[in-house]
């Protein structure tokens, strides 16, 4: 076995009223986990993918820079600064929220609260029109904060659902299914955009309807997660420390007891800085550097999502076979190649190749990261350790887009140079990953297993 603990005898069976699920499921799920619960967990990926695809990646980012900020040179920097502020707030609050969720067995409650916040804030983005800069920045920051909290907490359910040797494939199921949710929301939004532009309406007249649609799809698709997803880890009842004390304690704990997990945090912070640029600013790059219309950009992102779904699904199986470290190394090399192709792309068809590569790498690297945390996190501290992962990735989300925005500002709008600079983050991730030992990290996790009572 690579990077994990072999399943114990009898752990392959699933309690589903005596009815055995298909063999792949039976071998992948923990005892008592049903097919309906796995589907409900994956439905949250399906639900929230529409937010990132439509709001952050495609429609609202380009709409804010071009319409709300009225094409001002600082528009990209203002948008990235608002997102960076939301990521900073996530960094400061998520470790405490995660520790409190573990202490009270309250992951599902926190997931529900964050979902309601993101849905409401996404709907409020519909009121952003030309010149409504402060409103747009404040609401996008709130919606993104709530999205990030929910993304962290739903990931903490993965080790409760999947067997240790199947974390990659089960994570891949969720990510790949999630991309189809993004494509559904994007497809419906594209219908609105195509009809409105064909009728001669400006973006300020139809983007609001796209935001309302995105909020509605998120709300409806998330319902199964709250109905069928079970809370399995017992409450630890540990006292929750203030933010600064919790961060200091987490730093000491990972340094002394989980050094490989801390390396994973550094690695994730590096490569997620690059991914956050692609997610947040791909539409801006397509419109500003390649001259795409909004409809063309939406079709481009649709293609990226298809590639990402394929990559997440297939590579999840490969990750379980070849090991987490090798799998992530392959995807990071793929990211470097993608950056170079996109930087050199003058012809549109070359940029489409780069976008397809980005989709494949995005699906694999995001799914791999979620599985890797599950491979190294103690079972009784899942929300806390996934919150630390969120801290690292949100630090990346502050640094990555902000660096991109600063480079475009300093160079007078040179998006190509800003994209090339992004490749440094993926190279740094590879360097840190080379020092990580998953077998040693899994041993540290097992040495600190929790025994109730």
């Amino acid at each position: 076995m690579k990077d994990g603990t072999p399943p114990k005898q009898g752990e392959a069976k699933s309690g589903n009223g005596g009815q055995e699920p298909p063999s792949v499921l039976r071998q992948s799920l923990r005892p008592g986990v049903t097919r309906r619960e796995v589907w409900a967990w994956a439905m949250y990926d399906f639900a929230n993918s529409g937010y990132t695809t439509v709001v952050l990646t495609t429609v609202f980012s380009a709409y804010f820079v071009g319409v709300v900020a009225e094409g001002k040179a600082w528009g990209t920097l203002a948008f990235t600064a608002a997102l960076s502020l939301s990521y900073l707030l996530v960094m400061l609050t998520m470790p405490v929220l995660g520790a409190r969720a573990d202490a009270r067995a309250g992951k599902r409650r926190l997931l529900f609260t964050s979902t309601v916040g993101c849905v409401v804030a996404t709907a409020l983005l519909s009121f952003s029109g030309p010149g409504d800069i402060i409103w747009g920045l404040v609401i996008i920051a709130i919606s993104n904060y709530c999205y990030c909290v929910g993304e962290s907490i739903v990931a903490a359910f993965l080790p409760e659902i999947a067997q240790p040797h199947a974390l990659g494939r089960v994570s891949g199921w969720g990510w790949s299914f999630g991309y189809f949710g993004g494509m559904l929301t994007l497809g419906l939004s594209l219908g609105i955009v195509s009809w409105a532009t064909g009728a001669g309406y400006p973006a300020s007249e139809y983007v609001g309807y796209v935001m309302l649609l995105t909020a509605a799809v998120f709300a409806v698709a998330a319902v199964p997660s709250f109905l069928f997803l079970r809370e399995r880890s017992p409450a630890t009842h540990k006292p929750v420390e203030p933010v600064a004390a919790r961060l200091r304690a987490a730093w000491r704990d990972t340094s002394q007891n989980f050094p490989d997990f801390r390396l994973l945090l550094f690695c994730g912070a590096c490569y997620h800085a690059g991914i956050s640029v692609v997610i947040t600013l791909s539409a801006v790059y397509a419109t500003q550097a390649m001259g795409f219309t909004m409809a063309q950009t939406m079709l481009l992102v649709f293609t990226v999502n298809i590639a990402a779904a394929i990559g997440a699904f297939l590579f999840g199986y490969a990750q379980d076979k070849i090991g987490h470290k090798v799998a992530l190394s392959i995807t990071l090399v793929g990211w470097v190649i993608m950056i170079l192709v996109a930087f050199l792309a003058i012809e549109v068809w070359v940029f489409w190749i780069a976008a397809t590569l980005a989709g494949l790498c995005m699906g694999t690297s995001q799914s791999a990261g979620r599985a890797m945390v599950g491979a190294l996190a103690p079972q009784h501290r899942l929300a806390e350790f996934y919150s630390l992962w969120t801290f690292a990735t949100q630090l990346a989300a502050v640094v990555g887009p902000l660096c991109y925005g600063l480079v475009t500002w300093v160079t007078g709008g040179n998006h190509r140079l800003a994209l090339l600079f992004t490749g440094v983050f993926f190279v740094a991730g590879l360097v840190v990953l080379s020092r990580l030992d998953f077998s040693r990290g899994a041993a540290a996790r097992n040495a600190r297993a929790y025994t109730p009572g």
Side-chain angles (χ1 to χ4, degrees), residues 73 76-77 80 281 400-410 418:
T76 301
L77 181 59
T80 55
L281 296 163
L402 202 55
C403 285
Y404 185 100
L406 287 171
V407 172
T408 57
W409 182 46
V410 170

Side-chain angles (χ1 to χ4, degrees), residues 128-282:
S128 301
D132 295 328
I133 296 169
I134 301 300
W135 172 266
L137 293 176
V138 170
I139 300 302
I140 192 65
I142 293 173
S143 67
N144 192 57
Y145 174 85
C146 293
Y147 163 80
C148 291
V149 172
E151 182 69 14
S152 174
I153 291 300
V154 79
F157 284 93
L158 173 62
E160 297 181 355
I161 292 173
Q163 294 277 16
H165 69 280
L167 288 168
R169 78 185 68 160
V170 177
S171 180
W173 294 345
W175 275 111
S176 59
F177 191 51
Y179 284 117
F180 285 103
M183 284 186 280
L184 171 65
T185 309
L186 183 62
L188 295 173
S189 300
L190 180 59
I192 294 175
V193 171
S194 298
W195 175 83
T197 53
Y201 292 106
S204 58
E205 295 290 331
Y206 62 77
V207 166
Y209 292 104
V210 173
M211 296 299 102
L212 292 173
L213 170 69
T214 303
V217 173
F218 192 165
V220 173
V223 169
S225 302
F226 307 122
L227 294 179
F228 305 122
L229 195 58
R230 290 175 53 191
E231 186 101 28
R232 284 183 163 78
S233 296
T236 63
H237 302 294
K238 290 175 58 178
V240 179
E241 302 166 290
V243 172
R246 174 89 290 277
L247 291 175
R248 285 196 301 269
W251 180 259
R252 288 195 305 269
D253 188 25
T254 56
S255 176
Q256 296 171 5
N257 302 318
F258 305 95
D260 288 288
F261 180 76
R262 190 166 71 152
L263 283 174
L264 177 61
L265 295 180
F266 281 121
C267 176
C270 290
Y271 79 79
H272 269 273
I275 292 177
S276 65
V277 170
V278 177
I279 291 175
T280 307
L281 296 163
S282 58

Side-chain angles (χ1 to χ4, degrees), residues 1 5-14 24-33 158-170 320 324 371 374-375:
M1 287 297 299
T5 304
K8 298 177 181 179
Q9 290 294 324
E11 279 193 351
K13 293 185 179 180
S14 170
V24 173
L25 276 176
R26 185 172 63 249
Q27 295 169 3
S28 302
L29 305 182
R30 287 187 176 273
V33 178
L158 173 62
E160 297 181 355
I161 292 173
Q163 294 277 16
H165 69 280
L167 288 168
R169 78 185 68 160
V170 177
D320 290 334
H324 299 296

Side-chain angles (χ1 to χ4, degrees), residues 74-120:
W74 44 260
T76 301
L77 181 59
F79 185 77
T80 55
L83 291 179
S84 295
L85 176 62
S86 70
Y87 293 133
L88 180 62
L89 292 175
V90 173
M91 288 169 53
L92 295 176
T93 59
M94 199 62 228
V96 173
L97 293 175
R100 182 180 290 121
D102 283 333
R104 303 175 181 177
K107 294 196 297 294
R108 216 166 63 142
R109 188 182 309 115
L110 181 56
L111 184 66
F112 178 79
T113 304
S114 62
T115 301
V116 171
C118 187
V119 167
V120 172

